């Protein structure tokens, strides 16, 4: 079975491109979105996180595009998706565990 998933890195690149095409700075977008700091926008643009649904909706209105025009997806096999989730959970737990002991 194929499963669509959001490609966070490419979606972030897309947000950057669309913002720049409209001549909107990160600071301007921050103000338009009502954010106290620009960190969320930078995280979106770097593919570290995705906008919440309500922020995605606002972003689509501000950039004058549909939400589908912002999101970049890819299709993977369901079994591959489960394996990626398990690997991410395993590796992040291992990484956090190693950080705990490396700081002592």
């Amino acid at each position: 079975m194929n499963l669509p998933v959001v490609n966070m890195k490419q979606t972030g690149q897309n947000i950057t491109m669309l913002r720049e095409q409209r001549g909107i700075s990160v600071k301007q977008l921050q103000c338009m979105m009502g954010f106290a700091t620009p960190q969320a926008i930078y995280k979106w643009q770097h593919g570290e996180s995705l906008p919440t649904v309500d922020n995605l909706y606002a972003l689509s209105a501000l950039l004058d595009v549909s939400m589908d025009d912002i999101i970049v997806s890819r299709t993977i096999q369901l079994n591959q998706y489960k394996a990626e989730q398990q690997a991410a959970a395993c590796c992040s737990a291992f990484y956090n565990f190693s950080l705990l002991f490396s700081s002592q």
Side-chain angles (χ1 to χ4, degrees):
M1 175 179 175
N2 289 333
L3 180 69
V5 295
V6 175
N7 184 318
M8 291 175 55
K9 186 91 171 153
Q10 287 183 352
T11 296
Q13 293 169 349
N14 203 27
I15 290 170
T16 302
M17 179 195 67
L18 292 167
R19 178 186 57 74
E20 290 174 348
Q21 283 178 348
R22 277 56 180 183
I24 300 171
S25 70
V26 171
K27 181 71 174 170
Q28 289 171 322
L29 186 57
Q30 170 194 338
C31 292
M32 292 172 175
M33 300 284 295
F35 296 159
T37 66
Q39 269 60 39
I41 297 166
Y42 285 120
K43 285 183 179 182
W44 301 342
Q45 292 185 155
H46 292 119
E48 296 170 11
S49 68
L50 293 169
T52 59
V53 173
D54 56 332
N55 285 334
L56 182 62
Y57 185 73
L59 190 59
S60 72
L62 292 169
L63 299 175
D64 195 29
V65 295
S66 72
M67 291 191 295
D68 285 340
D69 289 337
I70 296 172
I71 297 171
V72 178
S73 66
R74 63 187 175 112
T75 304
I76 61 171
Q77 291 290 330
L78 183 57
N79 291 340
Q80 177 186 352
Y81 180 69
K82 287 180 183 177
E84 287 176 2
Q85 283 183 319
Q86 289 170 348
C90 172
C91 294
S92 66
F94 176 76
Y95 178 74
N96 292 335
F97 183 76
S98 66
L99 284 179
L100 176 66
F101 287 99
S102 66
S103 63
Q104 294 181 352

